[in-house]
Amino acid sequence: MWQAHSGDGRTPVVGVAVSTFHRARKGLWHHPPPTAWPPPVTYGQMRGLAAELLPGSEYRRHLLLRYSVVWREPRS
């Protein structure tokens, strides 16, 4: 419902809308850290990598085309 397909995977429409509004309000932000474009992996591939390398991890997508992976060490 809130996602639309793009060429390399799924792009959240809400994230694109918020990003556009943010840029219009704040202006284009030139940041010094290097960026990789196009991204080396898609959201789906990153979710798969997280599940493979960090069993039990939680993958969440956020606004402004960001995501987080949270993993907690299992109790022994």
Side-chain angles (χ1 to χ4, degrees):
M1 176 168 95
W2 61 276
Q3 296 180 341
H5 292 282
S6 69
D8 65 341
R10 302 188 82 160
T11 303
V13 174
V14 174
V16 172
V18 169
S19 177
T20 301
F21 175 77
H22 189 266
R23 255 181 301 161
R25 188 163 183 265
K26 300 278 186 175
L28 185 61
W29 179 51
H30 296 284
H31 48 84
T35 57
W37 198 260
V41 294
T42 64
Y43 284 111
Q45 291 169 332
M46 182 54 70
R47 179 186 293 269
L49 281 170
E52 178 184 332
L53 299 173
L54 300 168
S57 64
E58 179 183 341
Y59 178 92
R60 296 184 61 195
R61 292 176 69 168
H62 305 285
L63 290 177
L64 301 176
L65 306 174
R66 290 176 167 79
Y67 64 89
S68 63
V69 177
V70 176
W71 178 82
R72 291 181 178 83
E73 183 176 7
R75 296 180 185 195
S76 6

